[in-house]
Amino acid sequence: MYKIDSVWYLVGGVIILGLTMSELRVFSLILQIVALLLIIIGFIALKKSTSMKEGISKHGKIINVGYSLAILSVLYMAYSAYLSIIGTGSIPPLVLVHGSLGIITLALGALFVTNRWSWKSKRYMRIELVLWLAVFLGGTYLYLVISGAI
Ligand code: HEM
């Protein structure tokens, strides 16, 4: 899995270098939508699977790809947050709330992706799903504000 992740990051890095900030914003949103869809598909795959062992394996593989895509997009977000902080001299409250919740969500997700089995319980995964949806919705709102749509 780590080898596949490295390839993803390399491909992402090459693409990112050639894009403008507003193109990156759209690219990042697309990555986030695909990541969320993969996470949801990962949960459905587990529910639909007849064999528990096979279901868990599929669930893990699909969600790990989604998590990797999200990390790629968060590189852009961290850069955008950095530009906004040095540009205004302060952190916009919405970015602070979204970013902090995002870091917690990614940290909890990292425990699953790196197979910390004591954390891989249904309860924590449900909490992660709710957190992820909340952070995604907050980020989408940020996107609409920054791009001037609302
Ligand atoms: C699970 C983790 C996260 C999710 C699901 C998420 C989701 C999103 C989404 C959907 C957007 C709007 C589209 C886009 O620009 O990509 C966004 C924007 C943004 N996010 Fe996140 N985010 C996460 C973590 C973070 C973290 C850790 C930070 C801070 C370091 C952060 C800072 C931002 C900023 C500054 C924007 C606005 C970027 C811009 O439009 O220029 N996000 N986020």
Side-chain angles (χ1 to χ4, degrees):
M1 195 64 217
Y2 295 113
K3 254 192 188 160
I4 298 173
D5 287 349
S6 312
V7 174
W8 275 117
Y9 296 145
L10 193 68
V11 171
V14 170
I15 294 171
I16 279 169
L17 288 175
L19 299 180
T20 65
M21 264 323 255
S22 58
E23 283 167 344
L24 278 177
R25 181 168 298 126
V26 175
F27 181 65
S28 172
L29 178 63
I30 294 170
L31 281 182
Q32 283 296 334
I33 293 171
V34 175
L36 182 63
L37 286 178
L38 285 174
I39 290 168
I40 294 169
I41 291 169
F43 274 93
I44 296 173
L46 182 59
K47 278 238 176 285
K48 291 231 157 146
S49 186
T50 43
S51 140
M52 195 62 175
K53 199 177 163 203
E54 199 191 273
I56 289 178
S57 161
K58 259 194 204 165
H59 168 78
K61 280 181 191 151
I62 297 171
I63 291 186
N64 281 359
V65 175
Y67 185 87
S68 304
L69 293 182
I71 291 285
L72 200 60
S73 134
V74 168
L75 293 180
Y76 158 75
M77 290 177 202
Y79 181 57
S80 169
Y82 165 76
L83 288 183
S84 145
I85 292 165
I86 57 163
T88 61
S90 64
I91 309 180
L94 206 57
V95 172
L96 182 65
V97 174
H98 170 78
S100 310
L101 258 187
I103 289 171
I104 294 169
T105 307
L106 290 174
L108 182 57
L111 296 172
F112 305 145
V113 173
T114 56
N115 286 329
R116 307 287 150 150
W117 284 100
S118 52
W119 287 89
K120 293 182 87 166
S121 66
K122 267 190 189 172
R123 185 166 175 258
Y124 286 132
M125 289 188 190
R126 280 184 188 145
I127 293 174
E128 173 72 351
L129 185 59
V130 172
L131 273 175
W132 196 287
L133 284 172
V135 178
F136 178 86
L137 288 177
T140 306
Y141 177 70
L142 245 181
Y143 174 88
L144 294 173
V145 171
I146 293 174
S147 57
I150 51 173

